[in-house]
Amino acid sequence: MSAVSFTLPFPPSVNGLFSGKARRYLSAGYKAWKAAAGPRVPAGLIAGPYSLDLIFDRPDRRARDLGNLEKAVSDLIVERGLVIDDSCCQRITLSWSDAPPQREAVVRVTVQPFSTGQQP
């Protein structure tokens, strides 16, 4: 399979994925995001090493930790069967788009096989 690109709704931060202290439960916001985002992940399978490129729109002007936004997307592409496991990811590129803050912010996702000639 070659590169696959698609758009998802802006994901929740890793800080908002779970609730509970002794046991972790999916938060209501994370469940809602997965329900909205899941059907947008294309069918297919990248079976082996892959790279992940995520470009996020800013939903507002608040300072945000870009690294905290990747986990929900990575877990979703595993859950939907696009990749076998997120441990197969060899490179992750995260960036903010140049677009001004948008009410309906999204993340543009590109997943592609990672060839052995590339530097991780």
Side-chain angles (χ1 to χ4, degrees), residues 40-80:
R40 296 181 183 194
V41 177
L45 176 64
I46 296 176
Y50 67 92
S51 65
L52 178 63
D53 183 43
L54 304 174
I55 303 172
F56 297 90
D57 288 344
R58 291 183 183 270
D60 52 41
R61 295 193 184 282
R62 290 187 300 162
R64 294 174 187 271
D65 185 341
L66 189 59
N68 281 348
L69 299 174
E70 171 270 330
K71 187 61 177 162
V73 176
S74 286
D75 286 351
L76 184 67
I77 64 174
V78 171
E79 182 179 305
R80 301 296 292 191

